[in-house]
Amino acid sequence: MKNRPELSLHIPEPASRPGGEPDFTALPLQDAGEQRCPDTLAPESELRDMPYGLVRVLDDEGKAVGPWAPDLPADHLLKGLEAMVLTRIFDDRLFRANRQGKTSFYMKSSGEEAIGAAHSLCLGERDMCFPTYRLLSWLMARDYPIVALCNQIFSNAKDPLEGRQMPVLYSAREYGFYSISGNLGSRLGHAVGWAMASAYRHDDSIAIGYVGEGTTAEGNVHEALTFAAVYRAPVILCVTNNQWAISSYSGIAGGDRTTFAAKALAYGLPGLRVDGNDFLAIHAATKWARERALGNKGATLIELVTYRQAAHSSSDDPTRYRPKDEAEAFPLGDPIDRLKQHLIVRGDLTEDAYEALHSDCEKRVREALREAEAIGTLGQSKPSVKAMFEQVFKEPDWRLIEQRREAGY
Amino acid sequence: MSAMNMVQALNSALDVKLGEDPDIMIFGEDVGYFGGVFRVTDKLQEKHGLTRCFDTPISEGGIVATAIGMGAYGLRPVVEIQFADYILPAFDQLVSEAARLRYRSNGEFWAPITVRVPYGGGIFGGQTHSQSPEALFTHVTGLKSVIPSNPYDAKGLLISAIEEDDPVIFFEPKRLYNGLFEGRPDDPVKPWKNHPLAEVPEDIYRVPLGKARMIREGEAVTVLAYGTMVHVALSAIEECGIDAELLDLRSLVPLDIDAIVESVQKTGRCVIVHEASRFAGFGGELSSLVQERCFYHLRAPIERVTGWDTPYPHAFEWDYFPGPKRIIDALQRTQEV
Ligand SMILES: Cc1ncc(C[n+]2csc(CCOP(=O)(O)OP(=O)(O)O)c2C)c(N)n1
């Protein structure tokens, strides 16, 4: 008789499926203010508990508490709030535009707006962001022209990327925003290379790169972490853990076994786990990692715990794989509500002022949309087909010149 | 001027460029302290410092991704993939990222990187140390592919490649690293010393990308070759006595189409030689271009002499390798019509 159990194959399953009760009991949490704040230059060996905690600043009442509470002026916070509100409104309008056939595709960042906004405002003008498709609030916080976003999404005659990219795969060098590629995880190594170049040149700028928690399974990510650790690159590597990678829950990427921040441990990097719906916590953690990087102590891995409130993309229907009301049950709330409440508690915002901000943002998006629609939505206008043959090489070779002529341009 | 083999010429190119341009840095597996398994980066770390020439983790994807980021920042990294066979873990980075960065960002970012890859067979390296993967890259728009056949060109082309603002895959025929090779298994490699193209200036000079070299003028047939096959083809031509014209393409992208057309229109016949497998290989593209542009000048079918469509074998290396005999057969067939 065997005294061992038979082997059985384990396939992880989320706590609940459509029709079930949302259940986040397995998500390790900590109260606001509880996580310690180590010295930015502390040796990594003293930071190994950090990936298992959760950096939080805003408590349930909207007060900023604990050692991570940053000292930020009201206008900074209001700017962040505005970027987040603008992003949410823009997302809703453009998602609708997709349903109306005005664009082929759209991706929302709903629920994750605090991340891009806080990072954009926290990092320096010369720092470079290596984004994913859910970082629109980075551009909003830096006042990237909304109409240019619409033109890109509509692939119209004024598309800043000349019709070469899918909607939302922006590039905006002047705004510290690297070109987005469709290949998941492929740019994390570019962020490390950029940071290494900055260190090599004795510069004072850093890079920040992002992947979703699902993408942490890609080899690219482990390559980037290895290089970041080996060469002590001044880079912040972020995992935005929004719980879902299309229909696969975070456990499919290994999230049931340990935290994503804890991946840092094996590389000898500090890992911070941060409330990704808490603008202040994100800001403080990013500042911490930036100071560490500029202190020549190298890279930090930051997991931002958040929730993808909307569909993965305009081609996805999340009600088919997760409970409808899961977003409301997410224990870290909504990032816009939380920052708004904090500003009200501080006395820097009133409900009326918020309503005014909201309708001003709506107006700006409406106007930009109108302007872009006048130029054309998908298929109504497009950049010159000549542009299709440009920017392949610095100078076109004979093939491109001949083929452009053959195509009639 | 001094006589150099290809390894020394490549080393010299890297050395002078490191000396001239602080934005250049070299990295790859074992390239730093040790100077690379083929010694191409020998003494560069000692001479130029740790940050200019350094070792990397065994991670081809990581090497190329890092180089792209550095290139986007404004440096000009030159990276080594230890054997061309191991470029595949970096394939996604080269194809999806380096090749398209300029295009997809509408010129906001680009990757001025050079990826050096020792390639090719004839060294009993088996499947994993012998491949010629150039066609995988020539098919990808946005990458340039360069292949020298002698020390002089190797240095001049590498300098041009490093100065390019577009990503370049620089294929180094490892069978030619130390000397001439005429394609027979029992041939010893002859040192480069007594070859005119081993006379290499010590300073910076450039061989432009996209210009073929006329190795031998002739009237009877045009032979298109690159890398090791230039020397194998030359010995075949000399042996059979057919008055063939031999062009060393030197770069596949950009391709010197004018030189090819001019030569084939003159001779009316064309034999294409490469080491890589035949099906969908670069020879197919050359053949099609010649057919499109020289059809009314052709007096015989275009011939391809290539590796077979099998993985690169070990024991059968010399059955696989397109040696002089197969080239002579093809040359003769073109003369029979
Ligand atoms: C290399 C690669 N594989 C697959 C895809 C298809 N794909 C696009 S998004 C996605 C899920 C990504 O999930 P995650 O990393 O968690 O990011 P999130 O969308 O949740 O922000 C997949 C599988 C892709 N774009 N690239």
Side-chain angles (χ1 to χ4, degrees), chain A residues 160 171 173 179 181 183 186 190 200 203 231 388 394 398 402, chain B residues 22 52 55 73 92-93 97 103-104 106 108 141 165 255 293:
Chain A
S171 176
R173 186 171 189 138
S179 147
S181 152
N183 291 50
S186 57
H190 303 189
Y200 170 78
D203 199 347
Y231 301 107
M388 181 169 76
K394 190 177 182 195
W398 56 267
E402 284 187 12
Chain B
R52 306 298 305 284
D55 294 329
Y73 178 95
D92 176 50
Q93 284 295 333
E97 304 299 325
Y103 193 72
R104 71 164 193 255
N106 196 16
E108 288 195 326
T141 275
D165 283 338
L255 181 69
R293 286 156 206 254

PDB file of all heavy atoms in Angstrom, chain A residues 160 171 173 179 181 183 186 190 200 203 231 388 394 398 402, chain B residues 22 52 55 73 92-93 97 103-104 106 108 141 165 255 293:
ATOM      1  N   PRO A 160      -0.615  61.700 -34.923  1.00  0.00           N
ATOM      2  CA  PRO A 160       0.816  62.017 -34.744  1.00  0.00           C
ATOM      3  C   PRO A 160       1.738  60.854 -35.127  1.00  0.00           C
ATOM      4  O   PRO A 160       2.908  61.068 -35.415  1.00  0.00           O
ATOM      5  CB  PRO A 160       0.935  62.341 -33.254  1.00  0.00           C
ATOM      6  CG  PRO A 160      -0.320  61.851 -32.613  1.00  0.00           C
ATOM      7  CD  PRO A 160      -1.383  61.830 -33.673  1.00  0.00           C
ATOM      8  N   SER A 171       3.149  57.294 -28.668  1.00  0.00           N
ATOM      9  CA  SER A 171       4.562  57.595 -28.445  1.00  0.00           C
ATOM     10  C   SER A 171       4.644  59.100 -28.262  1.00  0.00           C
ATOM     11  O   SER A 171       4.037  59.838 -29.039  1.00  0.00           O
ATOM     12  CB  SER A 171       5.394  57.175 -29.667  1.00  0.00           C
ATOM     13  OG  SER A 171       6.743  57.549 -29.500  1.00  0.00           O
ATOM     14  N   ARG A 173       7.730  61.408 -27.057  1.00  0.00           N
ATOM     15  CA  ARG A 173       9.062  61.613 -26.489  1.00  0.00           C
ATOM     16  C   ARG A 173       9.165  62.872 -25.644  1.00  0.00           C
ATOM     17  O   ARG A 173       9.748  62.863 -24.556  1.00  0.00           O
ATOM     18  CB  ARG A 173      10.096  61.652 -27.620  1.00  0.00           C
ATOM     19  CG  ARG A 173      11.488  61.725 -27.081  1.00  0.00           C
ATOM     20  CD  ARG A 173      12.559  61.545 -28.128  1.00  0.00           C
ATOM     21  NE  ARG A 173      13.820  61.429 -27.438  1.00  0.00           N
ATOM     22  CZ  ARG A 173      14.782  60.583 -27.738  1.00  0.00           C
ATOM     23  NH1 ARG A 173      14.653  59.774 -28.766  1.00  0.00           N
ATOM     24  NH2 ARG A 173      15.886  60.535 -27.041  1.00  0.00           N
ATOM     25  N   SER A 179       7.670  54.856 -26.902  1.00  0.00           N
ATOM     26  CA  SER A 179       6.710  54.243 -27.820  1.00  0.00           C
ATOM     27  C   SER A 179       6.190  52.894 -27.288  1.00  0.00           C
ATOM     28  O   SER A 179       6.969  52.046 -26.868  1.00  0.00           O
ATOM     29  CB  SER A 179       7.425  54.087 -29.161  1.00  0.00           C
ATOM     30  OG  SER A 179       6.998  52.957 -29.831  1.00  0.00           O
ATOM     31  N   SER A 181       4.743  49.218 -27.581  1.00  0.00           N
ATOM     32  CA  SER A 181       4.743  48.109 -28.545  1.00  0.00           C
ATOM     33  C   SER A 181       3.669  47.112 -28.132  1.00  0.00           C
ATOM     34  O   SER A 181       3.336  46.997 -26.956  1.00  0.00           O
ATOM     35  CB  SER A 181       6.125  47.452 -28.546  1.00  0.00           C
ATOM     36  OG  SER A 181       6.035  46.093 -28.901  1.00  0.00           O
ATOM     37  N   ASN A 183       3.955  43.954 -28.124  1.00  0.00           N
ATOM     38  CA  ASN A 183       4.523  42.735 -27.546  1.00  0.00           C
ATOM     39  C   ASN A 183       4.734  42.916 -26.055  1.00  0.00           C
ATOM     40  O   ASN A 183       5.614  43.652 -25.617  1.00  0.00           O
ATOM     41  CB  ASN A 183       5.849  42.405 -28.224  1.00  0.00           C
ATOM     42  CG  ASN A 183       5.654  41.972 -29.646  1.00  0.00           C
ATOM     43  OD1 ASN A 183       4.972  42.655 -30.406  1.00  0.00           O
ATOM     44  ND2 ASN A 183       6.221  40.859 -30.024  1.00  0.00           N
ATOM     45  N   SER A 186       8.116  43.468 -23.668  1.00  0.00           N
ATOM     46  CA  SER A 186       9.323  43.635 -24.477  1.00  0.00           C
ATOM     47  C   SER A 186      10.066  44.922 -24.164  1.00  0.00           C
ATOM     48  O   SER A 186      11.218  45.063 -24.546  1.00  0.00           O
ATOM     49  CB  SER A 186       8.959  43.589 -25.955  1.00  0.00           C
ATOM     50  OG  SER A 186       8.011  44.586 -26.237  1.00  0.00           O
ATOM     51  N   HIS A 190      14.225  47.655 -22.337  1.00  0.00           N
ATOM     52  CA  HIS A 190      14.619  48.955 -22.901  1.00  0.00           C
ATOM     53  C   HIS A 190      14.754  49.980 -21.768  1.00  0.00           C
ATOM     54  O   HIS A 190      15.654  50.827 -21.790  1.00  0.00           O
ATOM     55  CB  HIS A 190      13.585  49.464 -23.906  1.00  0.00           C
ATOM     56  CG  HIS A 190      13.320  48.527 -25.053  1.00  0.00           C
ATOM     57  ND1 HIS A 190      12.568  48.880 -26.150  1.00  0.00           N
ATOM     58  CD2 HIS A 190      13.695  47.243 -25.273  1.00  0.00           C
ATOM     59  CE1 HIS A 190      12.496  47.851 -26.988  1.00  0.00           C
ATOM     60  NE2 HIS A 190      13.169  46.847 -26.476  1.00  0.00           N
ATOM     61  N   TYR A 200      25.838  55.518 -17.346  1.00  0.00           N
ATOM     62  CA  TYR A 200      27.106  55.560 -18.079  1.00  0.00           C
ATOM     63  C   TYR A 200      27.506  57.002 -18.392  1.00  0.00           C
ATOM     64  O   TYR A 200      28.673  57.373 -18.307  1.00  0.00           O
ATOM     65  CB  TYR A 200      26.960  54.744 -19.363  1.00  0.00           C
ATOM     66  CG  TYR A 200      28.113  54.900 -20.328  1.00  0.00           C
ATOM     67  CD1 TYR A 200      29.315  54.233 -20.103  1.00  0.00           C
ATOM     68  CD2 TYR A 200      27.995  55.726 -21.442  1.00  0.00           C
ATOM     69  CE1 TYR A 200      30.371  54.387 -20.973  1.00  0.00           C
ATOM     70  CE2 TYR A 200      29.054  55.881 -22.318  1.00  0.00           C
ATOM     71  CZ  TYR A 200      30.243  55.210 -22.083  1.00  0.00           C
ATOM     72  OH  TYR A 200      31.291  55.369 -22.947  1.00  0.00           O
ATOM     73  N   ASP A 203      24.535  60.975 -15.979  1.00  0.00           N
ATOM     74  CA  ASP A 203      23.358  61.830 -16.089  1.00  0.00           C
ATOM     75  C   ASP A 203      22.624  61.816 -14.742  1.00  0.00           C
ATOM     76  O   ASP A 203      23.054  61.135 -13.808  1.00  0.00           O
ATOM     77  CB  ASP A 203      22.473  61.207 -17.191  1.00  0.00           C
ATOM     78  CG  ASP A 203      21.459  62.182 -17.746  1.00  0.00           C
ATOM     79  OD1 ASP A 203      21.262  63.256 -17.140  1.00  0.00           O
ATOM     80  OD2 ASP A 203      20.855  61.857 -18.784  1.00  0.00           O
ATOM     81  N   TYR A 231      23.723  45.327 -13.180  1.00  0.00           N
ATOM     82  CA  TYR A 231      24.407  46.597 -13.483  1.00  0.00           C
ATOM     83  C   TYR A 231      23.920  47.754 -12.600  1.00  0.00           C
ATOM     84  O   TYR A 231      24.231  48.899 -12.868  1.00  0.00           O
ATOM     85  CB  TYR A 231      24.235  46.944 -14.964  1.00  0.00           C
ATOM     86  CG  TYR A 231      24.794  45.861 -15.868  1.00  0.00           C
ATOM     87  CD1 TYR A 231      23.960  45.023 -16.579  1.00  0.00           C
ATOM     88  CD2 TYR A 231      26.173  45.663 -15.959  1.00  0.00           C
ATOM     89  CE1 TYR A 231      24.472  44.012 -17.391  1.00  0.00           C
ATOM     90  CE2 TYR A 231      26.690  44.653 -16.758  1.00  0.00           C
ATOM     91  CZ  TYR A 231      25.840  43.831 -17.469  1.00  0.00           C
ATOM     92  OH  TYR A 231      26.355  42.842 -18.258  1.00  0.00           O
ATOM     93  N   MET A 388       3.308  55.558 -45.133  1.00  0.00           N
ATOM     94  CA  MET A 388       3.489  54.124 -44.882  1.00  0.00           C
ATOM     95  C   MET A 388       4.910  53.688 -45.210  1.00  0.00           C
ATOM     96  O   MET A 388       5.449  52.775 -44.595  1.00  0.00           O
ATOM     97  CB  MET A 388       2.489  53.337 -45.740  1.00  0.00           C
ATOM     98  CG  MET A 388       2.565  51.834 -45.561  1.00  0.00           C
ATOM     99  SD  MET A 388       1.187  50.994 -46.327  1.00  0.00           S
ATOM    100  CE  MET A 388       1.638  51.073 -48.042  1.00  0.00           C
ATOM    101  N   LYS A 394      16.298  55.260 -41.579  1.00  0.00           N
ATOM    102  CA  LYS A 394      16.534  56.708 -41.544  1.00  0.00           C
ATOM    103  C   LYS A 394      16.410  57.270 -42.957  1.00  0.00           C
ATOM    104  O   LYS A 394      15.752  58.284 -43.178  1.00  0.00           O
ATOM    105  CB  LYS A 394      17.921  56.974 -40.962  1.00  0.00           C
ATOM    106  CG  LYS A 394      18.137  58.436 -40.660  1.00  0.00           C
ATOM    107  CD  LYS A 394      19.491  58.633 -40.029  1.00  0.00           C
ATOM    108  CE  LYS A 394      19.709  60.087 -39.683  1.00  0.00           C
ATOM    109  NZ  LYS A 394      21.124  60.350 -39.417  1.00  0.00           N
ATOM    110  N   TRP A 398      16.318  51.513 -51.968  1.00  0.00           N
ATOM    111  CA  TRP A 398      15.660  51.464 -53.284  1.00  0.00           C
ATOM    112  C   TRP A 398      14.349  50.698 -53.258  1.00  0.00           C
ATOM    113  O   TRP A 398      13.420  51.003 -53.977  1.00  0.00           O
ATOM    114  CB  TRP A 398      16.609  50.916 -54.360  1.00  0.00           C
ATOM    115  CG  TRP A 398      17.186  49.546 -54.030  1.00  0.00           C
ATOM    116  CD1 TRP A 398      18.358  49.295 -53.396  1.00  0.00           C
ATOM    117  CD2 TRP A 398      16.604  48.259 -54.311  1.00  0.00           C
ATOM    118  NE1 TRP A 398      18.550  47.944 -53.254  1.00  0.00           N
ATOM    119  CE2 TRP A 398      17.503  47.286 -53.817  1.00  0.00           C
ATOM    120  CE3 TRP A 398      15.424  47.843 -54.947  1.00  0.00           C
ATOM    121  CZ2 TRP A 398      17.262  45.920 -53.921  1.00  0.00           C
ATOM    122  CZ3 TRP A 398      15.182  46.471 -55.049  1.00  0.00           C
ATOM    123  CH2 TRP A 398      16.087  45.535 -54.537  1.00  0.00           C
ATOM    124  N   GLU A 402      11.063  52.360 -54.744  1.00  0.00           N
ATOM    125  CA  GLU A 402      10.379  51.722 -55.873  1.00  0.00           C
ATOM    126  C   GLU A 402       8.958  51.308 -55.500  1.00  0.00           C
ATOM    127  O   GLU A 402       8.022  51.491 -56.274  1.00  0.00           O
ATOM    128  CB  GLU A 402      11.142  50.459 -56.299  1.00  0.00           C
ATOM    129  CG  GLU A 402      12.396  50.752 -57.087  1.00  0.00           C
ATOM    130  CD  GLU A 402      13.031  49.459 -57.634  1.00  0.00           C
ATOM    131  OE1 GLU A 402      12.376  48.394 -57.598  1.00  0.00           O
ATOM    132  OE2 GLU A 402      14.158  49.549 -58.095  1.00  0.00           O
TER     133      GLU A 402
ATOM    134  N   PRO B  22      32.831  58.324 -27.339  1.00  0.00           N
ATOM    135  CA  PRO B  22      32.492  57.849 -25.988  1.00  0.00           C
ATOM    136  C   PRO B  22      31.097  57.242 -25.890  1.00  0.00           C
ATOM    137  O   PRO B  22      30.760  56.622 -24.890  1.00  0.00           O
ATOM    138  CB  PRO B  22      32.588  59.112 -25.127  1.00  0.00           C
ATOM    139  CG  PRO B  22      32.477  60.255 -26.073  1.00  0.00           C
ATOM    140  CD  PRO B  22      33.014  59.782 -27.392  1.00  0.00           C
ATOM    141  N   ARG B  52      33.218  50.366 -20.925  1.00  0.00           N
ATOM    142  CA  ARG B  52      33.170  50.443 -22.392  1.00  0.00           C
ATOM    143  C   ARG B  52      33.065  49.074 -23.034  1.00  0.00           C
ATOM    144  O   ARG B  52      32.691  48.959 -24.211  1.00  0.00           O
ATOM    145  CB  ARG B  52      34.435  51.142 -22.925  1.00  0.00           C
ATOM    146  CG  ARG B  52      34.734  52.505 -22.333  1.00  0.00           C
ATOM    147  CD  ARG B  52      33.666  53.524 -22.607  1.00  0.00           C
ATOM    148  NE  ARG B  52      33.347  53.701 -24.021  1.00  0.00           N
ATOM    149  CZ  ARG B  52      34.095  54.358 -24.902  1.00  0.00           C
ATOM    150  NH1 ARG B  52      35.231  54.907 -24.525  1.00  0.00           N
ATOM    151  NH2 ARG B  52      33.719  54.479 -26.156  1.00  0.00           N
ATOM    152  N   ASP B  55      31.092  42.153 -19.756  1.00  0.00           N
ATOM    153  CA  ASP B  55      30.385  40.881 -19.843  1.00  0.00           C
ATOM    154  C   ASP B  55      28.916  41.046 -19.484  1.00  0.00           C
ATOM    155  O   ASP B  55      28.556  41.912 -18.686  1.00  0.00           O
ATOM    156  CB  ASP B  55      30.997  39.885 -18.859  1.00  0.00           C
ATOM    157  CG  ASP B  55      32.419  39.514 -19.247  1.00  0.00           C
ATOM    158  OD1 ASP B  55      32.709  39.504 -20.459  1.00  0.00           O
ATOM    159  OD2 ASP B  55      33.235  39.266 -18.343  1.00  0.00           O
ATOM    160  N   TYR B  73      18.315  56.003 -25.883  1.00  0.00           N
ATOM    161  CA  TYR B  73      18.824  57.090 -25.033  1.00  0.00           C
ATOM    162  C   TYR B  73      19.798  57.976 -25.798  1.00  0.00           C
ATOM    163  O   TYR B  73      19.854  59.185 -25.600  1.00  0.00           O
ATOM    164  CB  TYR B  73      19.522  56.489 -23.812  1.00  0.00           C
ATOM    165  CG  TYR B  73      20.138  57.502 -22.883  1.00  0.00           C
ATOM    166  CD1 TYR B  73      19.432  57.967 -21.774  1.00  0.00           C
ATOM    167  CD2 TYR B  73      21.427  57.982 -23.095  1.00  0.00           C
ATOM    168  CE1 TYR B  73      19.993  58.887 -20.910  1.00  0.00           C
ATOM    169  CE2 TYR B  73      22.004  58.908 -22.238  1.00  0.00           C
ATOM    170  CZ  TYR B  73      21.277  59.366 -21.151  1.00  0.00           C
ATOM    171  OH  TYR B  73      21.846  60.279 -20.309  1.00  0.00           O
ATOM    172  N   ASP B  92      12.676  38.169 -31.018  1.00  0.00           N
ATOM    173  CA  ASP B  92      11.540  39.066 -30.791  1.00  0.00           C
ATOM    174  C   ASP B  92      12.011  40.507 -30.615  1.00  0.00           C
ATOM    175  O   ASP B  92      11.427  41.431 -31.168  1.00  0.00           O
ATOM    176  CB  ASP B  92      10.755  38.604 -29.560  1.00  0.00           C
ATOM    177  CG  ASP B  92       9.631  39.562 -29.223  1.00  0.00           C
ATOM    178  OD1 ASP B  92       8.859  39.897 -30.130  1.00  0.00           O
ATOM    179  OD2 ASP B  92       9.530  39.978 -28.056  1.00  0.00           O
ATOM    180  N   GLN B  93      13.081  40.685 -29.849  1.00  0.00           N
ATOM    181  CA  GLN B  93      13.592  42.041 -29.637  1.00  0.00           C
ATOM    182  C   GLN B  93      14.044  42.666 -30.953  1.00  0.00           C
ATOM    183  O   GLN B  93      13.845  43.859 -31.193  1.00  0.00           O
ATOM    184  CB  GLN B  93      14.759  42.028 -28.637  1.00  0.00           C
ATOM    185  CG  GLN B  93      14.315  41.868 -27.195  1.00  0.00           C
ATOM    186  CD  GLN B  93      13.502  43.052 -26.692  1.00  0.00           C
ATOM    187  OE1 GLN B  93      13.648  44.175 -27.162  1.00  0.00           O
ATOM    188  NE2 GLN B  93      12.634  42.801 -25.735  1.00  0.00           N
ATOM    189  N   GLU B  97      10.968  44.926 -31.952  1.00  0.00           N
ATOM    190  CA  GLU B  97      11.355  46.163 -31.272  1.00  0.00           C
ATOM    191  C   GLU B  97      12.370  46.973 -32.071  1.00  0.00           C
ATOM    192  O   GLU B  97      12.069  48.056 -32.537  1.00  0.00           O
ATOM    193  CB  GLU B  97      11.896  45.836 -29.875  1.00  0.00           C
ATOM    194  CG  GLU B  97      10.925  45.031 -29.011  1.00  0.00           C
ATOM    195  CD  GLU B  97       9.615  45.761 -28.737  1.00  0.00           C
ATOM    196  OE1 GLU B  97       9.636  46.987 -28.597  1.00  0.00           O
ATOM    197  OE2 GLU B  97       8.569  45.088 -28.700  1.00  0.00           O
ATOM    198  N   TYR B 103       9.722  53.385 -36.872  1.00  0.00           N
ATOM    199  CA  TYR B 103       8.475  53.434 -37.635  1.00  0.00           C
ATOM    200  C   TYR B 103       7.291  53.703 -36.720  1.00  0.00           C
ATOM    201  O   TYR B 103       6.478  54.575 -36.959  1.00  0.00           O
ATOM    202  CB  TYR B 103       8.303  52.097 -38.357  1.00  0.00           C
ATOM    203  CG  TYR B 103       7.235  52.062 -39.430  1.00  0.00           C
ATOM    204  CD1 TYR B 103       7.414  52.725 -40.645  1.00  0.00           C
ATOM    205  CD2 TYR B 103       6.054  51.344 -39.246  1.00  0.00           C
ATOM    206  CE1 TYR B 103       6.456  52.663 -41.644  1.00  0.00           C
ATOM    207  CE2 TYR B 103       5.091  51.282 -40.239  1.00  0.00           C
ATOM    208  CZ  TYR B 103       5.297  51.932 -41.432  1.00  0.00           C
ATOM    209  OH  TYR B 103       4.343  51.862 -42.419  1.00  0.00           O
ATOM    210  N   ARG B 104       7.225  52.903 -35.642  1.00  0.00           N
ATOM    211  CA  ARG B 104       6.016  53.019 -34.849  1.00  0.00           C
ATOM    212  C   ARG B 104       5.977  54.301 -34.020  1.00  0.00           C
ATOM    213  O   ARG B 104       4.925  54.763 -33.636  1.00  0.00           O
ATOM    214  CB  ARG B 104       5.827  51.784 -33.974  1.00  0.00           C
ATOM    215  CG  ARG B 104       6.785  51.654 -32.847  1.00  0.00           C
ATOM    216  CD  ARG B 104       6.268  50.628 -31.831  1.00  0.00           C
ATOM    217  NE  ARG B 104       7.026  50.743 -30.625  1.00  0.00           N
ATOM    218  CZ  ARG B 104       7.973  49.883 -30.244  1.00  0.00           C
ATOM    219  NH1 ARG B 104       8.226  48.823 -30.971  1.00  0.00           N
ATOM    220  NH2 ARG B 104       8.638  50.076 -29.144  1.00  0.00           N
ATOM    221  N   ASN B 106       7.057  57.097 -35.222  1.00  0.00           N
ATOM    222  CA  ASN B 106       7.149  58.164 -36.224  1.00  0.00           C
ATOM    223  C   ASN B 106       8.430  58.966 -36.064  1.00  0.00           C
ATOM    224  O   ASN B 106       8.425  60.196 -36.085  1.00  0.00           O
ATOM    225  CB  ASN B 106       5.920  59.083 -36.168  1.00  0.00           C
ATOM    226  CG  ASN B 106       5.818  59.941 -37.426  1.00  0.00           C
ATOM    227  OD1 ASN B 106       6.457  59.657 -38.444  1.00  0.00           O
ATOM    228  ND2 ASN B 106       5.043  61.011 -37.359  1.00  0.00           N
ATOM    229  N   GLU B 108      10.355  59.325 -33.404  1.00  0.00           N
ATOM    230  CA  GLU B 108      10.686  59.879 -32.081  1.00  0.00           C
ATOM    231  C   GLU B 108      11.801  59.098 -31.396  1.00  0.00           C
ATOM    232  O   GLU B 108      12.560  59.648 -30.610  1.00  0.00           O
ATOM    233  CB  GLU B 108       9.450  59.867 -31.182  1.00  0.00           C
ATOM    234  CG  GLU B 108       8.421  60.895 -31.569  1.00  0.00           C
ATOM    235  CD  GLU B 108       7.387  61.122 -30.475  1.00  0.00           C
ATOM    236  OE1 GLU B 108       7.031  60.174 -29.748  1.00  0.00           O
ATOM    237  OE2 GLU B 108       6.942  62.259 -30.358  1.00  0.00           O
ATOM    238  N   THR B 141      11.745  43.977 -42.494  1.00  0.00           N
ATOM    239  CA  THR B 141      12.024  45.354 -42.853  1.00  0.00           C
ATOM    240  C   THR B 141      12.377  46.170 -41.623  1.00  0.00           C
ATOM    241  O   THR B 141      11.721  46.030 -40.601  1.00  0.00           O
ATOM    242  CB  THR B 141      10.782  45.926 -43.557  1.00  0.00           C
ATOM    243  OG1 THR B 141      10.874  45.577 -44.923  1.00  0.00           O
ATOM    244  CG2 THR B 141      10.713  47.405 -43.442  1.00  0.00           C
ATOM    245  N   ASP B 165      22.437  54.773 -38.123  1.00  0.00           N
ATOM    246  CA  ASP B 165      21.378  55.062 -37.161  1.00  0.00           C
ATOM    247  C   ASP B 165      20.293  53.991 -37.158  1.00  0.00           C
ATOM    248  O   ASP B 165      19.359  54.046 -36.374  1.00  0.00           O
ATOM    249  CB  ASP B 165      20.761  56.428 -37.444  1.00  0.00           C
ATOM    250  CG  ASP B 165      21.669  57.543 -36.952  1.00  0.00           C
ATOM    251  OD1 ASP B 165      22.510  57.279 -36.077  1.00  0.00           O
ATOM    252  OD2 ASP B 165      21.547  58.677 -37.447  1.00  0.00           O
ATOM    253  N   LEU B 255      20.868  46.297 -50.408  1.00  0.00           N
ATOM    254  CA  LEU B 255      21.425  45.422 -51.442  1.00  0.00           C
ATOM    255  C   LEU B 255      21.844  46.262 -52.643  1.00  0.00           C
ATOM    256  O   LEU B 255      21.106  47.158 -53.058  1.00  0.00           O
ATOM    257  CB  LEU B 255      20.354  44.413 -51.853  1.00  0.00           C
ATOM    258  CG  LEU B 255      20.757  43.390 -52.929  1.00  0.00           C
ATOM    259  CD1 LEU B 255      21.790  42.410 -52.369  1.00  0.00           C
ATOM    260  CD2 LEU B 255      19.533  42.628 -53.422  1.00  0.00           C
ATOM    261  N   ARG B 293      14.387  41.742 -63.317  1.00  0.00           N
ATOM    262  CA  ARG B 293      15.092  42.872 -63.910  1.00  0.00           C
ATOM    263  C   ARG B 293      15.964  42.499 -65.105  1.00  0.00           C
ATOM    264  O   ARG B 293      16.438  43.383 -65.819  1.00  0.00           O
ATOM    265  CB  ARG B 293      15.949  43.573 -62.838  1.00  0.00           C
ATOM    266  CG  ARG B 293      15.069  44.376 -61.901  1.00  0.00           C
ATOM    267  CD  ARG B 293      15.706  44.595 -60.551  1.00  0.00           C
ATOM    268  NE  ARG B 293      14.659  44.798 -59.555  1.00  0.00           N
ATOM    269  CZ  ARG B 293      14.368  45.983 -59.017  1.00  0.00           C
ATOM    270  NH1 ARG B 293      15.076  47.031 -59.312  1.00  0.00           N
ATOM    271  NH2 ARG B 293      13.390  46.086 -58.147  1.00  0.00           N
TER     272      ARG B 293
END
